[in-house]
Amino acid sequence: VQLQASGGGLVQAGDSLRLSCVGSGRTFSTYGVAWFRQAPGKEREFVVRIGSGGTTYNSDSMEGRFTVSRDSAKNMVYLQMNSLKPEDTAVYYCAANAYYSRSYEAYPYWGQGTQVTVSS
């Protein structure tokens, strides 16, 4: 399974941004995909996960501002981020695995990351 994340950029506080993650490989559709983020000097943080069947799990710390969706026909997973704050600034990664987990150590497949910078 290979993943590639895209869609990051520089935005202002209060703006929205949508990240995309495209997957490849025969088994990609059977995997759950999570988004993690990592800010400088901080640990990688769970953001949200969508299972192969569409069940979603959100981090409470995102306060409902982030939504994940999946287009299985296109092997795409999207992260819609609304009401962005400067503290959302981080590198965002998509990752895939076969079972639910909020730990980055449970995910064997990773995209390369995309930088999101939110200015105040």
Side-chain angles (χ1 to χ4, degrees):
V1 174
Q2 294 183 324
L3 304 170
Q4 184 171 354
S6 63
L10 173 63
V11 298
Q12 293 186 335
D15 285 351
S16 297
L17 197 62
R18 188 177 81 160
L19 306 183
S20 299
C21 177
V22 59
S24 61
R26 291 182 301 168
T27 58
F28 177 75
S29 63
T30 68
Y31 282 82
V33 176
W35 287 92
F36 290 82
R37 69 183 185 183
Q38 189 165 21
K42 295 188 177 181
E43 288 191 355
R44 196 161 294 192
E45 177 185 21
F46 173 83
V47 176
V48 67
R49 185 181 191 272
I50 186 165
S52 59
T55 302
T56 60
Y57 305 88
N58 290 66
S59 170
D60 291 340
S61 61
M62 305 306 152
E63 303 170 322
R65 298 179 294 119
F66 294 3
T67 304
V68 64
S69 61
R70 185 168 193 159
D71 185 338
S72 297
K74 297 180 179 179
N75 278 358
M76 295 293 297
V77 174
Y78 304 101
L79 178 64
Q80 178 67 41
M81 304 185 294
N82 298 325
S83 302
L84 283 162
K85 305 176 181 181
E87 50 264 44
D88 294 319
T89 295
V91 177
Y92 284 71
Y93 299 89
C94 57
N97 79 343
Y99 59 93
Y100 169 70
S101 176
R102 297 188 178 215
S103 171
Y104 68 87
E105 296 176 327
Y107 290 77
Y109 307 108
W110 289 83
Q112 82 286 8
T114 184
Q115 176 72 45
V116 173
T117 303
V118 185
S119 64
S120 58

